[in-house]
């Protein structure tokens, strides 16, 4: 479905559960989708898209450009830009100054390294904050999530995006504290935020950094 006055295309998706039309622009790739209630005439959807053409164009323009991981380029790792250089062996390695990776399929190999580093740093942070809180936690899993940086279940299991290793260490630490605080408060009430503040005084700039820069981290293409 074209967006009038632009070269953009909207991908419609019919939903039996939707009660109204909803436009979404991907924060990482700028792709535009439209949720359409089942039974709604196509002309109404086209009119809705036309009426929001300017908004769609602004949102797509604001989306960060994809950034591919490749030898000879750089990668944000633990908050600083590091070079990605050609290395021997089968796996990517963090040398302390650069990421060394075989030239064959560098993206997936670097992603595997990021997952390993993220697990180490997140487990340390979770254990430290949970000890301070005096609450046990369950299993910790890492995923490449797009809609959230972390979550906590009622069983105390924690999930984090491994892309947090790309952010500054203090930002990763904030997300760990945030999810650990959910072990005590499964909501975002004033008590919850008080708990986050006790675990990490002055957390606001770290939260703001993630809201401001997170989409750029999600736009990194590991192929």
């Amino acid at each position: 479905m074209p967006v009038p006055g632009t070269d953009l295309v909207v991908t419609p998706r019919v939903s039996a559960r939707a009660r109204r039309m909803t436009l979404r622009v991907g924060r990482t790739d700028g792709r535009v989708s439209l949720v359409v209630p089942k039974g709604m005439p196509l002309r109404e959807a086209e009119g809705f898209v036309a009426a929001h053409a300017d908004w769609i164009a602004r949102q797509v323009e604001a989306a960060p450009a994809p950034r591919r991981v490749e030898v000879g380029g750089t990668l944000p790792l633990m908050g600083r830009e590091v070079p990605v250089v050609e290395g021997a062996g089968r796996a990517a390695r963090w040398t302390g100054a650069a990421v060394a990776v075989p030239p064959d399929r560098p993206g997936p190999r670097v992603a595997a390294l990021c997952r390993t580093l993220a697990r180490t740093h997140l487990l340390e942070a979770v254990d430290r904050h949970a000890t301070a809180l005096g609450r046990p936690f369950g299993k910790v899993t890492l995923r490449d999530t797009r809609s959230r940086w972390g979550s906590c279940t009622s069983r105390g299991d924690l999930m984090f995006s491994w892309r947090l290793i790309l952010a500054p260490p203090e930002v990763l630490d904030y997300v760990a504290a945030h999810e650990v605080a959910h072990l005590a408060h499964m909501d975002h009430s004033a008590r919850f935020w008080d708990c986050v503040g006790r675990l990490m005084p002055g957390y606001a700039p770290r939260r703001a950094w993630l809201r401001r820069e997170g989409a750029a981290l999600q736009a990194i293409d590991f192929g």
Side-chain angles (χ1 to χ4, degrees), residues 114-115 118-119 122 141-151 159-166 172 175 217-218:
C114 288
R115 285 192 292 269
R119 177 168 290 280
L122 283 164
T141 59
L142 300 183
R143 298 176 185 166
D144 192 10
T145 53
R146 299 290 174 165
S147 60
R148 60 178 62 187
W149 293 100
S151 63
M159 184 283 296
F160 297 97
S161 168
W162 56 259
R163 288 178 185 254
L164 284 166
I165 198 63
L166 307 176
L172 177 148
V175 177
L217 303 185
Q218 297 284 10

Side-chain angles (χ1 to χ4, degrees), residues 117-133:
L117 293 172
R119 177 168 290 280
T120 298
H121 287 257
L122 283 164
L123 284 175
E124 184 280 327
V126 165
D127 186 66
R128 172 165 38 83
H129 291 306
T131 298
L133 187 61

Side-chain angles (χ1 to χ4, degrees), residues 8 24-32 55-67 212 215-219:
L8 302 172
R24 293 189 175 91
V25 178
R27 295 179 62 214
T28 61
D29 55 17
R31 293 182 181 179
V32 188
W55 179 88
I56 293 171
R58 289 196 302 272
Q59 296 301 311
V60 171
E61 185 178 0
R67 178 179 174 184
R212 185 177 66 252
L217 303 185
Q218 297 284 10

Side-chain angles (χ1 to χ4, degrees), residues 7-218:
D7 58 357
L8 302 172
V9 175
V10 174
T11 302
R13 181 174 64 85
V14 176
S15 171
R17 300 178 60 184
R19 295 292 176 266
R20 58 186 179 87
M21 287 183 284
T22 305
L23 276 167
R24 293 189 175 91
V25 178
R27 295 179 62 214
T28 61
D29 55 17
R31 293 182 181 179
V32 188
S33 62
L34 174 67
V35 177
V36 181
K38 187 176 181 179
M40 177 168 286
L42 178 61
R43 63 179 180 276
E44 289 192 31
E46 291 174 338
F48 185 81
V49 168
H52 292 83
D54 290 344
W55 179 88
I56 293 171
R58 289 196 302 272
Q59 296 301 311
V60 171
E61 185 178 0
R67 178 179 174 184
R68 190 171 182 83
V69 175
E70 54 189 3
V71 173
T74 62
L75 176 76
L77 189 65
M78 292 176 277
R80 60 191 179 98
E81 289 290 329
V82 301
V84 179
V85 301
E86 184 172 341
R90 300 181 61 183
R93 295 180 296 107
W94 167 235
T95 69
V99 172
V101 61
D104 177 41
R105 299 177 65 248
R109 298 178 195 272
V110 174
L113 171 65
C114 288
R115 285 192 292 269
T116 298
L117 293 172
R119 177 168 290 280
T120 298
H121 287 257
L122 283 164
L123 284 175
E124 184 280 327
V126 165
D127 186 66
R128 172 165 38 83
H129 291 306
T131 298
L133 187 61
R135 296 283 183 123
F137 59 91
K139 64 180 180 179
V140 176
T141 59
L142 300 183
R143 298 176 185 166
D144 192 10
T145 53
R146 299 290 174 165
S147 60
R148 60 178 62 187
W149 293 100
S151 63
C152 176
T153 71
S154 57
R155 297 188 304 273
D157 296 333
L158 304 173
M159 184 283 296
F160 297 97
S161 168
W162 56 259
R163 288 178 185 254
L164 284 166
I165 198 63
L166 307 176
E170 62 271 18
V171 174
L172 177 148
D173 199 31
Y174 156 69
V175 177
H178 181 116
E179 299 308 330
V180 165
H182 280 309
L183 296 172
H185 305 286
M186 288 295 294
D187 53 30
H188 287 96
S189 62
R191 292 189 306 164
F192 165 79
W193 288 110
D194 286 345
C195 184
V196 175
R198 291 195 301 272
L199 293 174
M200 178 172 288
Y203 67 83
R206 306 177 186 196
R207 183 185 183 210
W209 188 97
L210 196 57
R211 293 170 68 111
R212 185 177 66 252
E213 306 292 342
L217 303 185
Q218 297 284 10

